[in-house]
Structures are given as structure tokens and as C-alpha cells.
Amino acid sequence: LISKLSRDHRIDPDRIYVTGHSMGGHLSWRSGIYLGDRWGAVSPMSGGYDYVKDRQVYTLFNVAGYATCGNEEPYEIAKFNGIIRDWMAAHAYPWTMVEKKGGHEVFPDELPKVVEFFQDHPRNPYPAKVCARLGLTLANEQADKNDQWHRQHAWRAGRGIPTSTFHWIRFLEPSVKAEDGAVRFQEVWAVNDGANTIAITADNCRKLRVHLHERMVDFAKPVKITVNGETLFEKRVEP
């Protein structure tokens, strides 16, 4: 829908934002988790779960956010937002987390601040740092249809822009369940140092694609890519 509206109307694809309250707050959080490369920023209001415990907070690094909640929220929303706030502060995430005196409500005095935050945060398709995390395969998800709420990115071979893509990082193989039944999440931390070197730290990831752009590297010079400290690629790349 985002892509269609961008094609059909005069919309700047780098200035698309999402916000919502309550259930809309939950979905604003999840839009940031799953589609961080589509938004300039997101603003969840009175929503959210403990995304630190299940590590979904990782990919929220890829999008700026302004979250609000009341200190007397139901469903432990204030507690969960506090956990996320402390974790993000410790890891220098581009987020503003605001707890207000009140309950499950939209806080009118915060709305102008959200708008200003959006204006200050257009999308950057080529960020210097990307956090990518891929979970269950589609087949594994369908094995337990009662647990769809917690499902991760679906793997669809042949899809134009797979949901296994995070900015300029793309997973090339789905995650699978190990023999002990545990899911081996693929996790990647990729850093472009601005000097034609991209350093990747990867866990449980066998195949990965790095998409390059002239805003990221100088194609006239060799591009160096290291994975877990080892240089795996160092040569010129034809655009």
C-alpha cells in the first residue's frame, strides 16, 4: 500500500510516518520493528510490549521514534515502555521516550512535539549503521497457527523486495529450527565507516547480500567487506 500510494500520488517516499494510539500504538511499534526502512519516523502512543525480552527492540535502531505513554496505563504498558526506554538509552538509539502523568490517553501537548520530530527526521535509505534480524521461516510459522502474533519476517522466495531486507542488507536464506526445536535467529550488525569499508558482525547467518549505492561508497576504489573480523571481499564493484 505504501508503494502504491507513492507511485499514484505526489508523495515524498522519504517523508512517510506512522503513529497510533492503544492498539494503534502496538502496531506503530511493530511497523517500526518490521518496516523500519519505509518510514522517516514512527510515534507509538500508549502501546508496546517488552520488546527487549524478545529482542525485537534490535531492529528499532533502523528508524527514529517518539513514543508516549501515561504513568497509570493498563496492561503494564508504562512498565514495558520503561524497559524499552532504559535499554534504548543504554544503546544510543535514535528514540525519544516520554512518560506523562495520566492514563491510557493521547496527550495533546505532545502532538506538536511529535510533528516537529517527524519534520526533523526524513528517512535515510543509506544509513551508516543497520541492525538486521530474521526469525522463523514461513513454514515454521504455519506449524503453529495459534502463535501468529509473535511471528517474525516471512520468507518468500522470488518476492521483489523480500521482507528479509533491511535497508542495504538482505538475508539470502531463511532461518530454521534446530534439532532441539529452538529457533536460530539470524542477526547482523553492519557498519559503513565511510572509507569504502563495511564491517559486518553476524550470528547464525550463512548467506548475506550487501546492496551498494554511490551515496555509500566510491565505486572508483575497491570496496572492503569484513565479516566477524575477517576480510571476505576487497575489490572494485561495477555499479
Side-chain angles (χ1 to χ4, degrees):
L1 179 60
I2 300 169
S3 299
K4 176 175 172 53
L5 290 174
S6 298
R7 289 192 301 266
D8 294 350
H9 303 279
R10 296 180 64 85
I11 293 175
D12 182 348
D14 294 336
R15 286 197 174 276
I16 301 175
Y17 306 90
V18 62
T19 185
H21 176 260
S22 192
M23 184 59 75
H26 295 313
L27 269 295
S28 295
W29 277 110
R30 294 173 68 81
S31 294
I33 291 169
Y34 294 125
L35 294 169
D37 53 5
R38 302 308 300 270
W39 315 110
V42 302
S43 181
M45 299 180 181
S46 294
Y49 297 100
D50 188 350
Y51 297 126
V52 175
K53 183 178 180 180
D54 61 18
R55 299 166 72 177
Q56 293 191 79
V57 71
Y58 286 18
T59 57
L60 287 168
F61 183 84
N62 300 327
V63 60
Y66 193 112
T68 63
C69 73
N71 64 347
E72 298 180 358
E73 294 274 4
Y75 314 117
E76 297 186 296
I77 290 175
K79 171 186 173 182
F80 295 145
N81 274 254
I83 292 172
I84 297 170
R85 179 192 63 236
D86 294 344
W87 195 93
M88 284 183 164
H91 293 82
Y93 269 44
W95 277 70
T96 297
M97 302 282 294
V98 178
E99 182 176 294
K100 306 283 288 187
K101 184 177 180 180
H104 196 62
E105 58 191 279
V106 174
F107 298 96
D109 59 324
E110 290 298 320
L111 298 183
K113 300 175 186 177
V114 171
V115 173
E116 183 177 356
F117 187 87
F118 283 173
Q119 291 175 335
D120 291 341
H121 290 86
R123 182 183 67 158
N124 176 14
Y126 313 102
K129 300 176 181 179
V130 174
C131 182
R133 186 171 188 262
L134 188 70
L136 297 175
T137 66
L138 186 62
N140 283 339
E141 289 172 7
Q142 292 175 335
D144 185 1
K145 295 183 179 180
N146 294 322
D147 196 29
Q148 293 297 293
W149 182 252
H150 299 288
R151 73 179 183 177
Q152 305 292 315
H153 288 270
W155 180 271
R156 298 184 187 177
R159 181 170 178 161
I161 302 179
T163 50
S164 55
T165 300
F166 299 78
H167 289 284
W168 41 271
I169 291 294
R170 178 176 294 182
F171 293 101
L172 291 180
E173 290 184 347
S175 299
V176 296
K177 285 186 175 180
E179 293 182 358
D180 60 3
V183 177
R184 297 293 184 253
F185 288 96
Q186 300 181 65
E187 296 178 339
V188 167
W189 174 246
V191 178
N192 179 4
D193 69 358
N196 268 38
T197 298
I198 294 175
I200 295 174
T201 303
D203 189 25
N204 294 319
C205 179
R206 298 302 178 189
K207 285 188 177 182
L208 193 72
R209 177 168 293 159
V210 178
H211 290 270
L212 301 177
H213 190 274
E214 61 184 7
R215 297 189 197 177
M216 298 170 56
V217 298
D218 181 355
F219 285 108
K221 301 176 182 178
V223 176
K224 179 180 179 180
I225 297 180
T226 66
V227 178
N228 294 341
E230 180 182 357
T231 298
L232 297 187
F233 184 93
E234 189 171 11
K235 60 183 180 180
R236 282 192 59 190
V237 177
E238 291 296 326

